[in-house]
Amino acid sequence: MPRAVEPMKPTDLDRRAMRRALRLARAAAAAGEAPVGAVIYETSTGRALGAAHNLREADADPCAHAELLAIRAAAAALGDWRLNACTLVVTLEPCAMCAGAIVNARVGRLVYGASDPKAGAVESLFRICSDARLNHRPEIVAGVMAEPSAALLRSFFRARRGAVKPPKPRRGPQA
């Protein structure tokens, strides 16, 4: 009978980085962006290499997810695309695009807050980061400060659903 795998536990650095990621997520919400924040640091030293929040609305870029922006900043800071010695901390379980980038960047550890049952590609819908067919699998620490992360998302989307949207301009011939 196979032995159950012990879930990975967060470190003090993980919790500190998650608090920073939550501050970034709140800044994203204040700017009208989906409230997701990400921080990436050198696992052994704790040196911050990148931090970002979603910028899809501001940049009109569907790829401007917090994780991708933080990964780009870390690669630039290191001068290397291989991030084996890094930990990525993000408030929400990464989507398929971001999980693929995590694998391709060889991120050593992934720490995330809230699970995403609708689009999560680390453990909820897909298991991209632990798929044995891929060439890299980061260590995964899930559920770190999950409730504050989830509460921020719930509050943001509840407010958006209740907001009155201005009418869209009509196209076509003008009277």
Side-chain angles (χ1 to χ4, degrees):
M1 182 174 190
R3 224 173 66 217
V5 175
E6 180 86 16
M8 302 306 290
K9 300 223 185 304
T11 66
D12 288 338
L13 281 172
D14 296 336
R15 285 185 280 276
R16 188 175 321 133
M18 185 61 79
R19 284 190 290 275
R20 183 173 178 201
L22 281 163
R23 287 192 300 274
L24 289 163
R26 285 190 284 278
E33 300 279 355
V36 178
V39 173
I40 190 163
Y41 69 88
E42 278 184 322
T43 305
S44 63
T45 66
R47 179 172 69 117
L49 299 170
H53 63 67
N54 277 6
L55 287 173
R56 291 190 319 168
E57 301 298 331
D59 291 356
D61 179 357
C63 298
H65 287 205
E67 300 95 310
L68 295 182
L69 299 172
I71 286 170
R72 286 180 186 148
L78 291 174
D80 191 354
W81 62 268
R82 293 170 194 87
L83 304 177
N84 305 72
C86 297
T87 296
L88 174 65
V89 178
V90 61
T91 56
L92 180 64
E93 178 182 1
C95 68
M97 176 179 66
C98 293
I102 290 163
V103 169
N104 283 309
R106 314 284 196 276
V107 172
R109 293 178 71 242
L110 168 65
V111 176
Y112 71 87
S115 294
D116 186 352
K118 293 182 179 179
V122 175
E123 294 179 326
S124 294
L125 291 180
F126 306 105
R127 293 183 176 269
I128 292 172
C129 291
S130 58
D131 191 318
R133 297 169 294 182
L134 300 177
N135 62 345
H136 177 76
R137 288 175 295 286
E139 178 182 307
I140 299 167
V141 182
V144 177
M145 298 177 154
E147 183 46 39
S149 297
L152 184 57
L153 287 154
R154 282 191 306 268
S155 172
F156 177 80
F157 287 109
R158 186 179 305 121
R160 295 223 26 197
R161 282 191 299 274
V164 177
K165 296 181 180 133
K168 290 186 178 184
R170 294 181 62 191
R171 295 183 185 249
Q174 299 294 322

